[in-house]
């Protein structure tokens, strides 16, 4: 595995970070991980971060602001996952890449000075979908513990029946912009019924990790995200919902108050976190 060290670009300096790149075997091809490690000399919790991009784009570089900010604010080891992209790599590749990253992180706990008791996972946009899929996989396979999940403006409904186009004025996403993304990742209609692909329609939500659902007022996807939060609550999953006013979908992963809310949630939910 290759490793490259370089300084963090995050603005906050209270908790300096070491930033390392690793390569691991993914579901269909090798994938890159970028590790943001707090240099505080203590055992810290760990979480995965999954970038947005509608399943077809996005990168570790674009995820840097969010991943570094969360790592510093918790503080926690954040593993940013460069999962395989559609259409070259379709469902369930991205979800299984995230699963492999979670297994690798858990197996590397001693080397990376990670606290025991489970990992967190966070994701924006399609990364929120992949994060939700990972929680299903981890629960059902029982090979890695996901202790908490934070979903920022997640894409959760490939049927596109809950996108709030008519209810959300000024949204920077719509059913029309989401449709080609889902077609690329879920090209077969039958795939869109799979519980890992359509978490919003799943009837098996019990046993999922505590959740934080973050939405933006000017985001048509907030309708389905808040609907998912209600379903999690009904299934007995401890769930918090925060909506940020006058904010767009694209702005969420760079919005400081949203990232601080994510950090606060993980401080309260991850084993080994400092309150």
């Amino acid at each position: 595995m290759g490793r490259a060290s370089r300084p963090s670009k995050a603005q906050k300096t209270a908790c300096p970070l070491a930033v390392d790149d690793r390569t691991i075997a993914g579901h269909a091809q090798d994938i890159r991980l970028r590790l943001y490690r707090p240099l505080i000399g203590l055992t810290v919790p760990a979480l995965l971060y999954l970038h947005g991009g509608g399943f077809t784009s996005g990168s570790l570089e674009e995820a840097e602001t969010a991943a570094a900010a969360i790592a510093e604010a918790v503080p926690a080891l954040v593993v940013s996952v460069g999962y395989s992209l559609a259409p070259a790599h379709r469902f369930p590749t991205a979800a299984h890449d995230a699963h492999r990253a979670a297994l690798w992180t858990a197996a590397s706990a001693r080397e990376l000075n990670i606290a025991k008791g489970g990992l967190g996972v966070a994701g924006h946009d399609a990364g929120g979908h992949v994060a939700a899929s990972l929680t299903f996989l981890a629960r059902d396979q029982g090979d890695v513990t996901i202790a908490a999940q934070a979903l920022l403006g997640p894409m959760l409904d490939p049927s596109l029946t809950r996108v709030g186009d008519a209810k959300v004025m000024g949204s920077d996403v719509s059913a029309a912009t989401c449709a080609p993304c889902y077609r690329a990742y879920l090209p077969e209609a039958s795939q869109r019924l799979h519980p890992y692909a359509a978490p919003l329609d799943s009837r098996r939500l019990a046993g999922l990790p505590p959740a934080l659902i973050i939405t933006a007022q000017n985001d048509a996807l907030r309708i389905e995200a808040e609907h998912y939060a209600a379903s999690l609550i009904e299934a007995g999953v401890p769930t918090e919902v925060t909506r940020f006013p006058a904010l767009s979908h694209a702005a969420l992963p760079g919005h400081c108050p949203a990232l601080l809310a994510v950090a606060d949630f993980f401080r309260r939910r991850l084993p080994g976190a400092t309150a």
Side-chain angles (χ1 to χ4, degrees):
M1 294 186 294
R3 185 192 307 192
S5 296
R6 56 188 182 75
S8 165
K9 294 180 181 177
Q11 294 180 352
K12 185 178 177 182
T13 59
C15 178
L17 301 176
V19 184
D20 303 327
D21 284 354
R22 307 287 181 100
T23 300
I24 67 169
H27 180 68
Q29 62 176 356
D30 286 352
I31 58 172
R32 289 195 303 144
L33 309 177
R34 183 160 292 167
L35 280 58
Y36 298 82
R37 293 184 294 163
L39 297 176
I40 58 175
L42 300 172
T43 298
V44 295
L47 63 103
L48 307 186
Y49 184 82
L50 298 152
H51 64 76
F55 305 105
T56 62
S57 65
S59 67
L60 297 181
E61 289 69 30
E62 292 176 26
E64 182 156 332
T65 295
I70 295 168
E72 291 183 340
V74 175
L77 170 75
V78 173
V79 179
S80 186
V81 183
Y83 57 87
S84 301
L85 300 176
H89 300 284
R90 301 170 176 176
F91 174 82
T93 303
H96 282 289
D97 281 350
H99 185 235
R100 293 201 178 198
L103 291 171
W104 178 87
T105 303
S108 304
R110 178 174 293 183
E111 173 200 349
L112 299 173
N113 206 23
I114 297 172
K116 297 180 180 179
L119 309 174
V121 62
H124 169 247
D125 184 75
H129 184 287
V130 178
S133 297
L134 172 59
T135 66
F136 282 75
L137 269 167
R139 179 198 61 187
D140 295 346
Q141 297 193 18
D143 51 6
V144 64
T145 300
I146 304 299
Q149 57 177 318
L151 311 181
L152 294 85
M155 298 175 66
L156 299 171
D157 181 23
S159 74
L160 296 174
T161 57
R162 289 106 163 168
V163 178
D165 290 358
K167 299 179 181 179
V168 181
M169 300 297 294
S171 175
D172 53 345
V173 294
S174 66
T177 58
C178 291
C181 300
Y182 281 122
R183 284 197 299 269
Y185 186 54
L186 302 160
E188 300 175 17
S190 60
Q191 293 176 321
R192 299 170 199 172
L193 301 176
H194 194 288
Y196 297 173
L200 201 56
D201 290 316
S202 175
R203 298 181 180 179
R204 292 186 60 245
L205 299 179
L208 292 177
L212 170 65
I213 309 295
I214 290 186
T215 64
Q217 182 70 33
N218 300 335
D219 179 5
L221 295 183
R222 71 170 167 81
I223 305 297
E224 62 194 65
E226 292 170 4
H227 183 95
Y228 187 57
S231 297
L232 289 171
I233 292 169
E234 185 177 357
V237 177
T239 303
E240 304 171 31
V241 186
T242 301
R243 183 195 297 178
F244 286 91
L247 196 68
S248 69
H249 176 80
L252 267 176
H255 188 56
C256 185
L259 298 176
L260 290 176
V262 171
D264 175 71
F265 171 74
F266 283 130
R267 272 197 302 273
R268 290 183 284 110
R269 289 293 184 179
L270 290 183
T274 55

